[in-house]
Every structure is written in C-alpha cells, then in structure tokens.
Amino acid sequence: MAALDGEERVLATAQHIVRSLGTTDATTDDMIEILSKFDNRFHELLSKKTIASASSTSVLPDGFADSLDAAEEVIMRWDKASSDAAWTKMIWDSNDDAVDYLHAVDEVQNILESLSLSQRRAGVERAQNLLHVSMARLEDEFRCLLETTSGPVDPERLLDSFASSSMAAAASSSFNSNCDDDGEGSSIAGTYRDEEGENSSDDDNDEDVPVARPVTDLNPVIELLPPDVVESLNDIAKRLVQGHCKLECCQIYGSVRKVVLEESLQRLGMDRLGIDETQRMPWELLQNKIKKWIQVMDVGVKVLFASERQLCDQVLEGIPGGVEESCFAELAKGIMMQLLCFGEAVAIGKRETDKLITILDMYEKLRDLLPEIHSIFSGESCLSVREEASGVLLRLGEAAKGTFAEFENAVQRDPPKTPVPRGALHPLTRFVMNYLRFLLVYVDTLKKLFGEKPAVPVVPGDEFARGGGGYYGSSDEYYHHHHQYSSVPAENTSPLAVQFIWIIHLLEANLDNKSKLYKDLALTNLFLMNNVRYIVQKVRHSELSSLLGDDWMRRHSAQVRQHAKSYERSAWVKVLACLKDEGIRSGGSFSTGVSKAVLKERFKSFNSALEEIHRTQSGWCVPDSQLRSELRISVAEKLIQGYRAFLGRYKIYLESERNPQKYIKYTPEELEKMVNDLFGGS
C-alpha cells in the first residue's frame, strides 16, 4: 500500500508538471512522451491514468469510440498482467491471444491514421498512449519469442547440409560433363605423389562414369526457426515498424541472433584471433587454424550466413525501407569482419616457402566464396564487408606471389655444404620438383595471379635490373637481357611457365655449384646427370610437360646425355688409354716387334685402373633404373669392344710367358659382369 501511495505521489507530480507547462493537447502529448523516456514507471503510470482520464473526457466520432474501447481492454489487460511478478505467460503462448492482441494494435493504429486534425485533438492522447503501451509489450514479446526459439546450430547439421549440397553440385557437374558434345576434359590430381610414384593413373574410362540426373536445387540453406515462429515474428515486426519502433526492432533482432550466430560458428571451429596474435603463432599451430578457417568460411558463408540472411528477410518481409539489410548488418557484419581479419593477418604475415600452398588454399576459397559474400551481404549497410572481402582476396593474391618469389630466393640461396654421398639425388632437387608438381593443383589460380605478361626474376648482377622489386616489367625486357640463357622460353610461353622455367634454371645453377664439392670429376658428372634426369622425369610424367613445352624437354634430355658422356670420358679415359697401341711396339710401327715389358705394364695398368673403378663406382648411385641400365650398356660396349680387340692383337705375346694370368686377369665376360656391378649404391 505504501508503494502504491508513492507511485500516486510520483504520478501526481508528473501530472502537475504536465498541467503547468502544457497549454495545448499537443504539448501535453509531448511532455508525456518525454517523461516516459526517463523512466518506464512514468510510461506505465501515465499511460494507465491518462488513458483512464482521456476515456472520460475525449469525445470520438461514432465507430471509433467502440473500437478504441475494445482495443484498450485487450492491451491494458496484458499490461496489467505484466506488472504482476508472478505472471509469466506471454501473449504468443496462445495463438488466439496473439491474434486478439495484433487486432487490438491494428485498431489503435488505424484510428490514429483515420482521425482528422480536429478529431485527433480530442482522441489522440488516449490512442497514442495505448500505442506506446502496445509497442513496449510487442518489443518484449519479440525478444522473448526470439530468445526461446533461437539456439546455436549443431555443427553436424551444418556439415551435413554443406556435404549434401556439394554432392549435388558434383552430380550436376558430372551430368553436364557427360552431356558435353566433345566429351573431353582434364583435371589435375589434388593428391601429392612422392617421387617414388612417378606413374600417374591413366585408368579413366568414359564408359565407367555413371550418368547422373540433373540437379536443380543446390541450395544448402537450412531453416533456423520453425515457419510458424517466423510468421509470428514477422507479424510483430510489421507492427513495431508501423509504430515507429524500427530501430528497437532491429536492435532486438540483431542482439539475439548475433549471439546465436557467433556461437554456431565457434562450435564449427571459428577462433577470435587478432592480427598480432595470429602473426606470433607458430606455423604448425597457425596451419591448423587456417584449415579450420577454410572450413568455417566455406560452411559458414554457404550455409550459416546464407540461412541467417534468409531468416532475416523472412522475419522482415513486407516491411519497406530496406530494414532487412540494416538488421542483417547489425547481427552478421562484425562476425564476418572478424573472419576476414584472420585472412588479412595471414596475408600480411612473413613470406615463407612453406606457407605458399596454404595461402593458395585460402585465396581459392575466398575467391570462390566472393560472389556469395556479395550476394548475402548486399545493400549499403554491408558495403564495408564486400570491400573488405575483395581487399583480403587481393592481399592474399599478393602474398601468394610474394611467397612464390621467396621460394625462388630459397632455391637460389640454398648453400653448398657437403656433397651428397655417391652422387645421388640432392634433397633440394627432390623438394623443388615435387613442390612444382604440387603447385600444378593450383595452375589455373597461378596463371591468373601472374597475369598476361611474364614477370621474371632478375639475374643477380644484371645491370638492367629494376631497383627493389627483383622483376622485369615485361617479357620484352626478359627476352632482351636473358637470351644468352639456355632456359629462355619460346615467345608464346605463358607467364606461369616462365616462372617455372626460371625456378628450374635457378635449381640447375645451384646444383652446378654443389657439384663442385666433389673431388672426382667423374662423380661430379654423375651427380649432375642424376639430378637433371630426375628433373626431366618429373616434368615428363606430369602436367609440367605441357606447361614447359617440347623444346624445354628436348634441351634438357640432351643435357642428361651430355652429362653421361662427360662421366664416361672422365671416369674411363685412363682405362681405355691402356688399350691403345701407342708405345707397345718398338719404333712405333705395327710391323716392328712388340715390347713385352711395355705390354705387361700396360695390362697391369689396365687391371689396376679397372679394379679401382669397380671398387669405388660399385657404390656410386644411379637411382633411375633405365638410366642405370643404359649407362652400363654404353660403358660395356666401349670397354669390352676395346678389350677384345686388344686381346686379339697382343694375347699371343704373353701366353708363352710364365703365369700369363698375372697380366691377362679378366675375360670379356668377366669385364661385363664387373660393369654390371657399377652404380649399385642406394
């Protein structure tokens, strides 16, 4: 009772202020509205008393009074009930109550719109206060209905919807491909193959491809709220906007759905990371974060953000003024900017070779999602999101090109340390060629990133080099200043091919420096032969062959043969020199007598040199089995042919000697066996 007396005194004071300052009905209305904004108690108390007072003093035209009385009865009944702390029932708990309340609100709004100027002076105060009361109630109902029916989406549901859409898209693509007239197509395998698995699968058979039915609905959007709830929210939203509470409506909707959207994305794997935190993160950990980011972006944009936009459009359907765009911006803009901020942090991070593949994954994902981002985040309210997404994509592209340049620098700078044992493949060769092959998965993206004209790294020391960038600006400059290099491509070579050719050129130059670590010239040539052969085989058995072209293949295959010949000359020149006739016959003439002492020494030198080669080169390595066989055959032909001829000419002179086997230790067959022992190292 004391509380009631206090409220009465507050009300009396407010009414006294209104009567003292308000000289017209319009001024009185303004004062009531002002006081209502300071404290809800003014709003509630003034509404009740003023409505009661107005109902006894206002005179409304016929028809309006009965309608307003009926609306007042419904509105004030719920207003009175809400003041009871024990009352927990909401209007939208019952469909009949909701229909009655909406009808009452519509009646009040219709009366306000229908009253003429003179009539408004008589009845507007009562109707206005009823409208204030009903708007406050509708705001509570709107919030309560949203909060009780909204909840984070289970990640499994999101992933299932996304997977179903992806499978449908793949089936549609397969259908379209099978319907294509030419029936031709190519794809790059997305799986890395180790250097041991040189042969790619060629088992594709058009007859085995299942004919899919055309798929027309690839939309992964899901229902976030039941249709009846969406309809109810739409009914409330329309009345709130008509009652000039558009801002409040958007704030309520945005605040509730934003929390739900953020929690759904967090369950999917989204992290709230700042730029500094991201850039300080160890690469192994950051790589896992990027994988999650790609999934969150993919599923989030295609399913969650698209579903939120659809829900927002449905809830605010039929409301003019683009209110759905501002509401959606209220709930989704900040979250999307947070996701893009992570992409920005990676894009502006340190350029490291290991990051190129991951950055390309991010670039391709954002590029593919960009049209959907522009569609979902449409309107002026979301312009900053669209601009930021395009900007992050651009910076990821620049990061990819910069990291590619760092890859070139890493190949060029890899220092010669210790020679690879047995002349085997250098780890750098394996790394670079498998890296290039793996980049073929991104060949279309890389072609677009490198543009129409080649941008070729400057040869160190080139006086024509551009300052700072390390690249030529046009293909003309490249061809003009680098025509002396054997790796210069043909005029129609693509910019990406130029980049790949250049990297292989840097690799070959580095390998040449590393080959100088060997003290044995024969091992130097064997090392170069092995590594260039590996490069050629990696190109031949991949899409690199079509990218680099036939001319490149011919020149590098010739290099392998040249290194093999150089090996044979440097390794076997001493052995084969022992099988020459010079110095064996007295006077140098074939008709004169043979010097047995010289002949014996010649056989001893041959045996010693052959045994040394067999001892050392049996452990040398030629990993390519075909090349190993070809090299053995080539050596055997020269060695055995020369040895047979030498034996045929001079064997007779030693057969009469004591222990001729001391000099003629090997038969041609034994030599062949010894040659076949060569290059057995692993």
Side-chain angles (χ1 to χ4, degrees):
M1 191 69 180
L4 183 60
D5 291 340
E7 290 181 353
E8 292 290 347
R9 286 196 294 272
V10 172
L11 174 62
T13 302
Q15 289 175 330
H16 176 72
I17 294 172
V18 171
R19 285 194 299 272
S20 300
L21 299 178
T23 57
T24 66
D25 290 340
T27 305
T28 301
D29 292 343
D30 293 340
M31 290 303 301
I32 292 173
E33 186 174 356
I34 292 170
L35 289 169
S36 300
K37 291 180 178 178
F38 280 106
D39 197 310
N40 285 334
R41 289 176 299 172
F42 285 124
H43 170 72
E44 296 171 0
L45 295 174
L46 287 171
S47 298
K48 297 173 185 176
K49 297 299 182 179
T50 309
I51 290 171
S53 174
S55 64
S56 62
T57 58
S58 299
V59 179
L60 292 173
D62 293 340
F64 286 130
D66 293 340
S67 298
L68 195 58
D69 289 342
E72 180 182 7
E73 193 278 328
V74 174
I75 293 171
M76 298 311 297
R77 182 175 75 247
W78 283 99
D79 190 65
K80 180 180 179 181
S82 64
S83 63
D84 185 355
W87 184 268
T88 59
K89 185 178 180 182
M90 303 300 290
I91 297 173
W92 263 261
D93 290 344
S94 167
N95 185 63
D96 292 339
D97 290 339
V99 171
D100 291 343
Y101 198 86
L102 289 177
H103 179 71
V105 174
D106 290 341
E107 284 296 319
V108 173
Q109 290 179 332
N110 290 336
I111 289 171
L112 285 172
E113 292 172 1
S114 302
L115 291 175
S116 64
L117 182 60
S118 60
Q119 291 168 336
R120 285 175 64 85
R121 288 174 180 171
V124 71
E125 181 179 339
R126 181 183 173 196
Q128 283 276 18
N129 280 280
L130 281 174
L131 186 62
H132 285 312
V133 173
S134 65
M135 290 300 107
R137 181 70 196 196
L138 287 179
E139 288 178 15
D140 291 340
E141 294 285 338
F142 193 65
R143 181 185 298 277
C144 181
L145 191 56
L146 272 172
E147 290 177 341
T148 55
T149 57
S150 296
V153 185
D154 182 34
E156 292 299 324
R157 185 186 176 200
L158 293 172
L159 293 171
D160 287 346
S161 177
F162 176 78
S164 299
S165 172
S166 299
M167 290 174 63
S172 178
S173 175
S174 175
F175 175 83
N176 294 333
S177 175
N178 290 329
C179 292
D180 199 356
D181 291 336
D182 58 20
E184 296 181 355
S186 62
S187 63
I188 298 174
T191 304
Y192 173 84
R193 291 185 173 87
D194 186 67
E195 57 270 7
E196 299 300 328
E198 296 289 350
N199 297 324
S200 59
S201 175
D202 295 322
D203 297 331
D204 295 340
N205 189 334
D206 292 341
E207 295 179 357
D208 296 331
V209 178
V211 178
R213 295 180 179 179
V215 179
T216 56
D217 185 12
L218 308 179
N219 188 3
V221 174
I222 59 176
E223 284 186 354
L224 298 176
L225 295 178
D228 59 325
V229 173
V230 175
E231 184 178 356
S232 297
L233 290 170
N234 179 250
D235 290 336
I236 299 173
K238 286 178 179 177
R239 273 68 178 190
L240 287 172
V241 173
Q242 288 172 347
H244 307 291
C245 294
K246 180 173 74 172
L247 179 61
E248 291 81 356
C249 177
C250 286
Q251 288 175 341
I252 294 170
Y253 184 86
S255 63
V256 174
R257 292 303 308 175
K258 181 178 182 179
V259 173
V260 174
L261 174 60
E262 192 163 27
E263 187 172 347
S264 297
L265 287 169
Q266 286 173 350
R267 290 188 178 189
L268 193 61
M270 183 185 82
D271 290 311
R272 297 183 65 89
L273 299 172
I275 291 180
D276 291 341
E277 184 181 0
T278 301
Q279 294 186 340
R280 289 196 302 268
M281 192 175 295
W283 173 239
E284 293 76 12
L285 179 58
L286 181 59
Q287 201 168 18
N288 291 329
K289 297 291 185 183
I290 291 173
K291 290 178 182 178
K292 288 184 179 180
W293 180 88
I294 290 174
Q295 175 178 274
V296 170
M297 284 292 291
D298 211 3
V299 180
V301 170
K302 292 181 178 179
V303 183
L304 205 50
F305 281 105
S307 300
E308 282 289 353
R309 181 58 195 259
Q310 175 179 274
L311 176 63
C312 190
D313 291 345
Q314 291 172 343
V315 169
L316 302 172
E317 185 180 5
I319 300 175
V323 64
E324 71 281 355
E325 290 181 358
S326 57
C327 273
F328 182 72
E330 177 79 17
L331 74 96
K333 180 178 175 180
I335 299 174
M336 189 64 195
M337 293 294 270
Q338 179 71 29
L339 285 170
L340 293 173
C341 179
F342 180 82
E344 174 80 9
V346 175
I348 64 177
K350 185 179 179 182
R351 306 284 190 257
E352 293 177 346
T353 300
D354 292 346
K355 297 180 179 180
L356 178 56
I357 301 298
T358 306
I359 291 174
L360 286 171
D361 286 336
M362 294 181 72
Y363 177 88
E364 288 191 341
K365 182 53 58 184
L366 186 55
R367 178 202 62 197
D368 294 343
L369 291 174
L370 199 60
E372 290 169 275
I373 292 174
H374 279 243
S375 175
I376 295 168
F377 291 86
S378 59
E380 188 67 24
S381 302
C382 294
L383 176 62
S384 59
V385 173
R386 300 194 300 274
E387 291 178 341
E388 181 66 12
S390 298
V392 171
L393 179 66
L394 178 64
R395 287 183 284 279
L396 283 171
E398 292 298 323
K401 290 193 289 185
T403 307
F404 194 92
E406 181 56 34
F407 173 48
E408 295 173 352
N409 294 334
V411 173
Q412 187 174 16
R413 292 194 304 257
D414 189 70
K417 297 177 183 177
T418 56
V420 177
R422 301 178 294 280
L425 294 177
H426 197 282
L428 180 66
T429 307
R430 294 178 183 269
F431 172 73
V432 171
M433 295 311 300
N434 285 309
Y435 198 94
L436 291 179
R437 285 188 64 181
F438 196 80
L439 286 178
L440 291 174
V441 177
Y442 308 89
V443 65
D444 292 335
T445 297
L446 290 170
K447 284 180 178 179
K448 292 178 181 178
L449 285 175
F450 284 109
E452 296 301 323
K453 287 190 176 183
V456 183
V458 173
V459 171
D462 193 330
E463 61 182 354
F464 297 96
R466 296 290 181 89
Y471 286 87
Y472 283 109
S474 71
S475 57
D476 292 339
E477 290 177 348
Y478 173 67
Y479 293 127
H480 178 69
H481 295 297
H482 297 280
H483 64 277
Q484 70 270 30
Y485 289 94
S486 62
S487 296
V488 172
E491 291 293 332
N492 60 353
T493 304
S494 71
L496 180 61
V498 171
Q499 295 295 329
F500 276 47
I501 289 170
W502 179 254
I503 287 178
I504 294 175
H505 172 75
L506 294 176
L507 171 63
E508 291 170 334
N510 195 312
L511 290 172
D512 189 63
N513 287 331
K514 294 181 188 315
S515 71
K516 296 173 183 176
L517 295 171
Y518 295 102
K519 296 179 180 179
D520 189 328
L521 182 59
L523 192 54
T524 294
N525 290 316
L526 192 77
F527 170 79
L528 290 173
M529 178 195 71
N530 282 332
N531 282 269
V532 176
R533 170 73 169 194
Y534 183 84
I535 292 170
V536 170
Q537 291 299 90
K538 280 292 183 180
V539 172
R540 176 176 286 119
H541 295 295
S542 71
E543 291 295 324
L544 284 170
S545 59
S546 60
L547 184 67
L548 303 188
D550 294 337
D551 182 64
W552 187 95
M553 286 294 299
R554 282 192 297 269
R555 285 187 285 105
H556 281 74
S557 296
Q559 283 186 28
V560 176
R561 293 191 296 272
Q562 183 59 46
H563 288 310
K565 290 179 181 178
S566 297
Y567 155 77
E568 290 180 16
R569 283 196 301 268
S570 56
W572 294 93
V573 62
K574 184 177 179 181
V575 175
L576 295 177
C578 295
L579 303 178
K580 293 182 178 181
D581 296 326
E582 288 84 350
I584 295 178
R585 294 181 179 274
S586 302
S589 172
F590 191 79
S591 60
T592 59
V594 173
S595 172
K596 290 186 178 182
V598 174
L599 185 60
K600 291 178 182 179
E601 189 62 33
R602 187 68 61 85
F603 269 105
K604 288 173 64 178
S605 297
F606 173 82
N607 295 335
S608 176
L610 178 65
E611 290 164 359
E612 176 63 19
I613 287 179
H614 182 265
R615 183 183 65 81
T616 57
Q617 296 193 21
S618 292
W620 287 7
C621 178
V622 178
D624 188 290
S625 59
Q626 181 181 350
L627 179 61
R628 183 169 61 246
S629 177
E630 291 174 354
L631 192 59
R632 285 171 175 172
I633 291 172
S634 178
V635 170
E637 285 179 350
K638 295 178 177 65
L639 177 64
I640 296 172
Q641 182 180 356
Y643 187 67
R644 285 183 189 277
F646 192 77
L647 279 180
R649 292 193 297 272
Y650 300 110
K651 180 180 179 181
I652 190 174
Y653 295 103
L654 297 179
E655 286 180 331
S656 60
E657 294 289 320
R658 176 185 289 183
N659 298 324
Q661 65 274 14
K662 180 179 179 181
Y663 308 104
I664 307 173
K665 294 177 65 175
Y666 302 105
T667 65
E669 291 73 23
E670 289 173 327
L671 289 188
E672 184 175 5
K673 184 178 181 301
M674 293 176 72
V675 170
N676 286 332
D677 290 337
L678 302 180
F679 321 125
S682 60

